[in-house]
Amino acid sequence: MSDILVHNEAGVTTLTFNRPDKKNSITASMYATLADALAVAEADANVRCVVFQGNETTFSAGNDIGDFLNNPPATGDSPVFRFLRGIAGFPKPAIAAVCGPAVGIGTTLLLHCDLVYAGDNAAFSMPFVNLGLCPEAASSLLVPQMLGYHRAAEALLLGEPFMAEAALEVGLVNRVLPPSEAANYAHAVARKLAVKPLSSLIETKRLMKKGQAQQVMAVMAEEGESFGRMLREPAAREAFGAFMERRKPDFSQV
């Protein structure tokens, strides 16, 4: 079966991370599938909204490190950047059901969703600094806006997990539910949206995001340039080497 399941029903496209043996970590081919599915959903007038989900124990562990090292994003047309632009500019409602770990892009993609429903076992983290890297997905802009600067600094500089109730408090999620109920609740909301007029959904979202849409894309591009440069530098090489060798990284010389 595919590592990304794409299901269309009654005006809702559901994108499911389906790699449980690897904690739903995302490969370049998975990013390509996600980017293509978003483009199809955007163009299809029968699609009213999109739902992202994992399973009851894991949303996504972020990038697959091995695949990431073998297939680093070399250009702006790399699958990961196509996906990020696709979700940031997606004109229809996007919903996420998040249970368990949501690491790196597993958290930052939620900044571009309109509604997020979390299981009470959800754990959000953005450990970019710990990997010798910098934020992506315009999170350097959007996280301070959402959390406030000091909480954003705690999340982005320390990279430590914060749980569902904390995410609810700062507005990253709309509701916290038992893990067995999160996906069903998200789909119930999606069905409500699917019977509303598409033109109204699109225009309402456009107006809400109008003030910073260009800024988000500009920040995302700048982050991408920094991310690519830092990926080749000693700190990232040490971090990824330590990860693959299952040891603690030593940044004392970098």
Side-chain angles (χ1 to χ4, degrees):
M1 295 182 69
S2 174
D3 291 336
I4 298 292
L5 302 181
V6 182
H7 178 72
N8 296 290
E9 183 177 353
V12 179
T13 293
T14 303
L15 304 176
T16 304
F17 297 114
N18 184 48
R19 204 179 177 220
D21 57 319
K22 298 295 185 180
K23 297 183 180 179
N24 291 338
S25 58
I26 309 174
T27 63
S29 64
M30 291 167 70
Y31 281 122
T33 300
L34 289 166
D36 292 343
L38 285 176
V40 171
E42 179 176 347
D44 187 348
N46 293 315
V47 174
R48 294 295 198 269
C49 64
V50 166
V51 176
F52 293 91
Q53 64 182 18
N55 54 53
E56 292 182 13
T57 60
T58 307
F59 185 63
S60 174
N63 285 317
D64 180 296
I65 299 299
D67 181 82
F68 191 70
L69 292 175
N70 291 327
N71 301 283
T75 70
D77 291 327
S78 297
V80 61
F81 293 132
R82 286 204 299 120
F83 167 67
L84 289 176
R85 290 194 300 271
I87 191 171
F90 191 66
K92 302 174 183 178
I95 303 172
V98 184
C99 296
V103 181
I105 198 164
T107 289
T108 59
L109 75 85
L110 305 175
L111 301 169
H112 304 283
C113 291
D114 304 289
L115 299 163
V116 180
Y117 301 102
D120 58 23
N121 62 343
F124 307 88
S125 61
M126 295 172 283
F128 305 112
V129 166
N130 302 339
L131 293 171
L133 299 171
C134 67
E136 37 84 319
S139 55
S140 63
L141 169 70
L142 299 175
V143 173
Q145 286 182 353
M146 179 175 289
L147 276 64
Y149 179 82
H150 290 96
R151 282 178 170 175
E154 187 173 49
L156 289 171
L157 294 178
L158 291 174
E160 296 174 351
F162 56 98
M163 303 306 290
E165 289 296 338
L168 178 65
E169 180 186 352
V170 298
L172 179 61
V173 306
N174 294 84
R175 187 181 294 260
V176 177
L177 303 141
S180 60
E181 298 177 15
N184 287 338
Y185 193 93
H187 282 276
V189 173
R191 288 191 293 272
K192 290 181 181 179
L193 291 171
V195 297
K196 297 182 185 296
L198 180 60
S199 59
S200 294
L201 293 173
I202 290 175
E203 186 64 7
T204 299
K205 180 170 178 174
R206 184 190 73 81
L207 290 168
M208 286 194 293
K209 288 183 171 285
K210 177 183 176 182
Q212 64 177 22
Q214 290 184 338
Q215 187 181 14
V216 164
M217 291 299 186
V219 170
M220 192 178 293
E222 182 178 0
E223 289 173 344
E225 291 178 4
S226 295
F227 195 98
R229 170 178 52 80
M230 297 183 76
L231 190 60
R232 300 186 294 271
E233 293 179 348
R237 291 201 299 269
E238 169 60 17
F240 287 118
F243 180 87
M244 300 303 290
E245 296 165 13
R246 299 182 182 277
R247 61 175 173 83
K248 186 175 181 179
D250 177 8
F251 297 121
S252 61
Q253 303 302 313
V254 296

